[in-house]
Amino acid sequence: MDNFNKLSIKNQLCFAVYSCSREITRLYTPILNEHDLTYTQYITMLVLWENDNIKVKDMGKILFLDSGTLTPVIKSLEKKGLVERNRSKEDERNVYVSLTKKGQELKSKIETVPDQVGCSLNLEPNEAIELYKLCYKVLDNIK
């Protein structure tokens, strides 16, 4: 290990994770283009399909995105007729996002996306599960 160069880009765990994330996200692009969605719009819709009528702030926590990044994404989805934003009547600082009928209907059209991308990864099911567990372990440890 004396020759191990800890400052080599190839030896950086952070770079391996970053590069892998970018390449996996890139796999989504042609598939999501068919549905007129970006990757960030897609993951926003995933949250809404699980948590309809959610505060922007809570959505940001789930997605690890700040409101400055998330707000334009939500506005874009709103222009596409997939979501709507509403201010809380009790506290106007809170903005809720909910699915429109068109947004709800999109879910059934996009259900095959995870399988399409998953097939491109060429991982055995147990390898995919292990990678998933390790990623969430790292996230939990960081938080």
Side-chain angles (χ1 to χ4, degrees), residues 8 27 30 45 48 57 70 93 95 102 111 113 125:
S8 171
L27 291 173
M45 293 301 293
L48 284 163
K57 179 177 160 182
L70 191 53
R93 295 173 293 180
V95 177
K102 184 178 176 183
E111 284 180 329
V113 169

Side-chain angles (χ1 to χ4, degrees), residues 22-128:
R22 287 186 49 91
E23 290 303 305
I24 291 172
T25 301
R26 190 180 58 77
L27 291 173
Y28 279 89
T29 301
I31 300 165
L32 294 177
N33 282 345
E34 295 174 20
H35 302 282
D36 191 29
L37 291 176
T38 65
Y39 180 76
T40 310
Q41 291 169 345
Y42 170 68
I43 62 174
T44 300
M45 293 301 293
L46 291 176
V47 170
L48 284 163
W49 290 323
E50 284 186 51
N51 307 282
D52 196 7
N53 200 37
I54 185 173
K55 286 184 203 175
V56 172
K57 179 177 160 182
D58 294 337
M59 185 183 294
K61 286 179 185 173
I62 293 168
L63 294 173
F64 297 92
L65 296 174
D66 62 39
S67 64
T69 302
L70 191 53
T71 298
V73 172
I74 294 167
K75 284 183 178 181
S76 178
L77 291 170
E78 191 172 35
K79 285 180 186 172
K80 294 176 187 199
L82 299 173
V83 303
E84 58 186 18
R85 293 176 296 154
N86 296 294
R87 290 206 176 273
S88 169
K89 291 179 175 122
E90 293 81 37
D91 185 347
E92 288 192 10
R93 295 173 293 180
N94 291 321
V95 177
Y96 287 82
V97 182
S98 57
L99 293 163
T100 61
K101 185 174 189 220
K102 184 178 176 183
Q104 292 167 345
E105 291 169 351
L106 179 62
K107 183 178 181 181
S108 64
K109 296 174 186 172
I110 214 161
E111 284 180 329
T112 62
V113 169
D115 292 331
Q116 289 176 281
V117 172
C119 288
S120 300
L121 301 180
N122 294 320
L123 291 176
E124 294 297 322
N126 62 322
E127 291 173 318

